[in-house]
Structure formats: structure tokens, C-alpha cells
Amino acid sequence: MGQRLPARRGGISVVAALGPHRMDSSHGFRVHGTSGAAGRRVEGLPPLKPASPDKEGPVHHDQIAIDVPTVQSLIRQQFPHLMREPVSYLPSTGTVNAIFRVGDLLAARFPLRRTDPDELAESLRAEAGAMSELAGHSPVPTPTCVGLGRRGDSYPLPWTLQTWIPGSVATPSGLAGSIRFADDLVRLILALRKTDRHGRTFSGGGRGGDLPDHDGWMEHCFEKSESLLDVARLRLMWGSFRELPAGGEDVMSHGDLIPANLLVDGERRPAA
């Protein structure tokens, strides 16, 4: 491959991240947008330990309070077959959703910021469809949506219930020299590129598109990185990348293929 794969561990554990992107010879594949992740276990985290998602104070000015008793009540009302399963809050660095374990096999995701319930419900249904499509084409396991929760008296928005994928969350080090992991990652990328677009095309927003379109953002990053990185060398690299010709038609790709959205078991990716 010419260089070592950046240190990444595990398999993808995100939703609504499958979308059409245009390849070029600098990236190999295009990505755009981001999506919250769930269905993952942080290595070393005690299982099923109740906690409060806002015990250190809210992150957003319009953040919705959600705790274990509220989740238990919603599950009891809407998914009574799961009412005896233990529920626990999963500490996370994410700021979009509060995630709760439901037994050993499921995870519940609750949006934290107030928004229009009907628009959110439509978005969550689309997200569930994307999860199903990703699972149908990924060579490694991926979480799938098993239920769409309704808003209730104690929580004002729709929410989702999905399968739990065991494994350890990626870190910035650990598998940089793993050929087995690199092979698994390549298999995933190639499998998604072969997925039928069903007429969909790259939206032009977020990550991806033509590299020169990102000159403004890259300049901002260079200016902010002067004291951290060899910016002169990076500018030269960017200048050569942005002049490479486009490499083909739009393809499907994972929209947020970063370490935090990967899980691993040993040197293999158990989930995507």
C-alpha cells in the first residue's frame, strides 16, 4: 500500500452514513457528512452501571434531560417485551445523542437537542433505512434498527432502538501496522463501492466533491495548525492532491469512516 494504515481499530458502528460519493485518484473514495454512533462498548467500561447523562451539566442550551428511569418508563410503555431488561447510561464523548444499554443485545439512542418531532421522526426512519442498506452490503456486522420509539410525557422526541455490536472502540494507536486490519478495511470500502446507487448522486454537501472546493477550509486548518504541524509540507501535499484528475463516476461510501466509529476484536474488525 506504500504506507502504513493510520492507527484505527475495529468496525464501523454508525447509522445513516451510507451515501453516494465521487471517487478521485487522490482519495480513492469520497465521504461527506457525519452521523451519531451507537452500539459500541468502550474497552474497560463496567457493564450496565447506571449513570446520569447530564451529571456534569448540559452541553447545549436546549438540551433535553433524559435519565435511566425515563428510559425504563418509555421502554415499559412502548416495548413491553423488554421491560425486564436492565437499562444503563453509556458515557460517551458524543453530543448529539444520549445512549443507553438495554440488556446485553440492544442500545437506545435519544436525541439531546429540541427539534421538530415530525421532522426528526422522518430523519430517523431514513436513518433506519440506511442502517439496513449498510448491513446488507457490509462484509462485517453492523448495527441495525429494531424499533422506532415515540415521544412520550417524559421525553418530547422520537428515539431509536438498535442492536448492540460488541467490541472495543478505536483509539489513535494500536493497529497501525496490522495487515489483517488493513485487509478488512479495504474489503469494506470495496464492498460499499460496488453497492447499487439506485440513481442517487453525490449531494455536493459536507465532505467529498471536488478537492479545490475545500481550499477555504484547508487554509483555515493550515493557519490553525502552524504551531502543531509541518504546515509548509502539508500545503505542498494539498497543492498536488487538488490538481489530480477525477477518477470516475459516483460510488457509495461510508460517510464517517473515522477511528471513533470503528470496533475491533484483536486485529480484526468485528463490526461495521
Side-chain angles (χ1 to χ4, degrees):
M1 297 178 64
Q3 60 182 0
R4 294 199 308 174
L5 189 72
R8 297 171 180 166
R9 306 175 64 190
I12 305 162
S13 181
V14 298
V15 293
L18 191 66
H21 316 288
R22 186 166 61 253
M23 289 194 300
D24 71 10
S25 51
S26 63
H27 278 236
F29 70 104
R30 295 286 192 166
V31 295
H32 76 87
T34 58
S35 177
R40 60 181 185 237
R41 173 178 63 83
V42 178
E43 189 172 14
L45 180 70
L48 303 180
K49 180 179 180 181
S52 171
D54 58 355
K55 64 179 181 179
E56 297 181 356
V59 176
H60 309 289
H61 68 88
D62 56 352
Q63 184 162 317
I64 301 171
I66 179 76
D67 55 19
V68 168
T70 298
V71 176
Q72 290 173 323
S73 175
L74 290 168
I75 289 176
R76 185 166 55 250
Q77 296 169 20
Q78 301 182 32
F79 300 95
H81 62 290
L82 299 173
M83 62 185 300
R84 297 187 182 279
E85 296 290 346
V87 174
S88 65
Y89 170 65
L90 179 65
S92 168
T93 58
T95 60
V96 177
N97 297 285
I99 303 173
F100 293 80
R101 289 288 305 272
V102 181
D104 293 329
L105 302 178
L106 299 173
R109 298 166 67 239
F110 292 84
L112 287 172
R113 304 193 68 174
R114 297 184 183 277
T115 188
D116 182 86
D118 294 332
E119 291 182 0
L120 178 60
E122 182 178 353
S123 175
L124 293 179
R125 284 191 290 270
E127 184 178 87
M131 294 177 75
S132 178
E133 185 175 6
L134 177 61
H137 296 281
S138 171
V140 295
T142 69
T144 56
C145 182
V146 298
L148 295 174
R150 305 181 305 277
R151 54 181 169 174
D153 295 336
S154 55
Y155 180 76
L157 297 175
W159 49 283
T160 59
L161 194 64
Q162 66 185 60
T163 54
W164 174 266
I165 303 296
S168 299
V169 178
T171 64
S173 62
L175 292 179
S178 171
I179 300 300
R180 296 177 67 187
F181 172 77
D183 286 342
D184 284 345
L185 191 59
V186 168
R187 284 195 306 118
L188 171 66
I189 294 171
L190 292 179
L192 296 184
R193 286 183 181 178
K194 295 177 182 178
T195 301
D196 193 334
R197 291 186 290 115
H198 299 293
R200 291 169 292 189
T201 58
F202 175 56
S203 66
R207 300 172 183 146
D210 296 319
L211 292 185
D213 292 343
H214 298 273
D215 282 342
W217 171 247
M218 291 302 298
E219 182 59 33
H220 172 78
C221 294
F222 291 145
E223 292 176 357
K224 295 294 185 180
S225 302
E226 289 286 357
S227 62
L228 302 172
L229 304 170
D230 185 352
V231 171
R233 178 170 175 267
L234 293 175
R235 287 183 188 276
L236 290 174
M237 293 175 63
W238 175 250
S240 63
F241 289 157
R242 66 187 301 282
E243 294 178 359
L244 293 171
E249 63 180 16
D250 291 2
V251 295
M252 299 299 286
S253 176
H254 189 284
D256 201 15
L257 196 59
I258 61 174
N261 290 333
L262 303 176
L263 298 175
V264 69
D265 180 11
E267 289 193 17
R268 303 307 300 269
R269 292 162 32 81

